[in-house]
Amino acid sequence: MSVLTPLGFTLLRELADGDFHSGEDLAAKVGLTRARVSQVLKEAEASGLALERVKGRGYRLLEAPGFLDADTIRRRLVEFGAARPVAAPLAIEIVDQIESTSTELSRRSQRRDIHGMLLAAEWQTAGRGRRGRSWTAVAGGSLTFSLGWRFEQGAGFLAGLSLAVGVAVVRALEAEGFTGIALKWPNDLIHRHHKLGGILIDLNGDALGPSTVVIGVGINVRLPASVRDELPVPVTDLTSIAARKLLPVDRNRLLARLVDELAAVLHQYATEGFAPFAAEWQHRHAYQGKMVKLLLPDGATVTGKVAGVDASGALVLADGPRRARFLSGEISLRRA
Ligand code: BTN
């Protein structure tokens, strides 16, 4: 996919109202030739944004994304925070384009305290997924952000953190009216067996603590069919889910809700660990009680019935009376 330049974002912000803008007006606003405007907008299209061109009227963004804005997110957080006593001191930063919000926060953590630092990007050029995979997102059509958090404890205590984060994300989506979203161990967000989003935790620190974690969350908001078709797994987005229920997707509001729920879960996790989230996680697990095949990191497979997760977030599979726990791997439904 093409990479959007900062100029591309300047143009897209001009088009964010969803109205027609003539090539001439756009060119004058950003100080470019009309030919260059046309070229930059072609790049925007190639990065997944749907544009309409009409002779005599100009350009119009179909499904204008409503760009992320730190002040709007702050206002929403105050609104949500009033309903909840846990107030997190948050530093919010929005960037148009970055390699990866998680890579950048991890880099910053070498030099300073990133506790409560939220970094969200309209577009990642090298988004990372779990197990070394890449994460595809569309400019203005995804939510991609990372949150830094410090814990006094070490890696063992944090083993279930990514699952607790999954609970926070589903709570936030539900609070915003998106129902039917489930978790898939360890922390995929799915809707009717299609992947909606994912969570990536980067952990730095001593085994006994303290630790600094970078919590990366990616959610598909509006993925064009051309992008979906290129992905290796069936995916969905919030727009498809919302369309059926006539809900508009307000990414600023949603991001604020996600941060609000995340902060509450992280505060609780810091003192109580994963245990208080285990029952809710299981309840939200799409594969709870199902026969699954687990592909282990070494390529071996194990089958069993999902009994649940233990207090450290490990998957527990039952094979008759025997129970076995697994810390990593990929599960898929086993055909009967
Ligand atoms: C997965 O399901 O594989 C996890 C995907 C996590 C993607 C998010 S997007 C924001 C943050 N920055 C990254 O580079 N990755 C995470």
Side-chain angles (χ1 to χ4, degrees):
M1 260 198 296
S2 140
V3 170
L4 266 175
T5 57
L7 258 179
F9 278 102
T10 311
L11 280 174
L12 292 177
R13 283 184 205 283
E14 290 294 327
L15 291 164
D17 55 11
D19 292 339
F20 276 104
H21 294 258
S22 73
E24 210 166 6
D25 281 355
L26 289 173
K29 281 231 171 76
V30 297
L32 294 174
T33 62
R34 281 174 62 178
R36 182 79 180 110
V37 165
S38 156
Q39 189 187 354
V40 173
L41 289 178
K42 273 203 187 99
E43 285 162 13
E45 271 184 305
S47 77
L49 279 154
L51 269 176
E52 188 183 11
R53 280 185 184 73
V54 175
K55 242 198 156 122
R57 298 189 74 186
Y59 303 88
R60 180 166 84 94
L61 254 187
L62 298 168
E63 301 172 70
F67 287 100
L68 294 174
D69 175 66
D71 287 338
T72 309
I73 295 166
R74 262 183 225 110
R75 273 200 302 278
R76 287 286 185 204
L77 271 171
V78 171
E79 191 183 303
F80 298 151
R84 134 179 2 265
V86 184
L90 284 167
I92 302 173
E93 186 181 341
I94 310 289
V95 293
D96 278 342
Q97 187 172 319
I98 201 162
E99 184 187 338
S100 146
T101 53
S102 286
T103 305
E104 175 58 22
L105 273 195
S106 293
R107 198 178 286 144
R108 289 185 194 177
S109 73
Q110 311 294 320
R111 302 189 303 269
R112 60 182 131 138
D113 183 11
I114 57 160
H115 183 69
M117 206 180 260
L118 174 76
L119 179 62
E122 290 290 4
W123 169 253
Q124 292 187 127
T125 54
R128 294 188 284 116
R130 284 195 310 116
R131 299 160 69 90
R133 287 185 287 242
S134 62
W135 181 258
T136 304
V138 171
S142 305
L143 267 183
T144 49
F145 66 93
S146 301
L147 177 65
W149 211 260
R150 191 186 55 246
F151 290 91
E152 291 310 315
Q153 304 88 344
F157 179 81
L158 297 173
L161 181 66
S162 72
L163 279 75
V165 167
V167 167
V169 172
V170 181
R171 282 183 187 172
L173 292 168
E174 263 184 19
E176 290 303 307
F178 298 100
T179 53
I181 296 164
L183 294 161
K184 178 183 169 200
W185 187 85
N187 46 28
D188 278 357
L189 299 159
I190 61 169
H191 183 261
R192 297 188 179 155
H193 298 289
H194 286 61
K195 185 154 170 165
L196 173 72
I199 293 157
L200 176 76
I201 306 272
D202 293 323
L203 193 140
N204 286 300
D206 294 328
L208 297 176
S211 317
T212 297
V213 294
V214 174
I215 298 155
V217 179
I219 298 176
N220 305 325
V221 178
R222 183 195 49 82
L223 281 190
S226 57
V227 175
R228 291 179 194 215
D229 294 348
E230 280 176 24
L231 296 173
V233 293
V235 295
T236 187
D237 58 23
L238 288 178
T239 305
S240 319
I241 297 171
R244 276 175 238 146
K245 303 179 180 68
L246 300 171
L247 287 173
V249 180
D250 176 342
R251 290 186 312 140
N252 283 303
R253 185 187 162 100
L254 188 56
L255 182 49
R257 183 69 81 181
L258 284 158
V259 171
D260 182 57
E261 292 289 351
L262 268 170
V265 163
L266 296 174
H267 277 290
Q268 190 180 355
Y269 196 102
T271 51
E272 299 171 54
F274 179 63
F277 302 102
E280 182 175 346
W281 193 94
Q282 284 174 183
H283 173 69
R284 296 184 181 282
H285 191 204
Y287 291 26
Q288 185 69 16
K290 301 264 184 343
M291 285 301 291
V292 297
K293 184 169 84 177
L294 173 70
L295 175 63
L296 297 169
D298 64 3
T301 57
V302 187
T303 55
K305 188 174 180 177
V306 176
V309 285
D310 69 10
S312 65
L315 179 74
V316 181
L317 290 187
D319 181 8
R322 288 190 312 149
R323 295 266 187 285
R325 53 191 292 277
F326 299 91
L327 293 166
S328 59
E330 298 284 331
I331 55 173
S332 52
L333 276 182
R334 210 188 76 170
R335 284 200 213 118

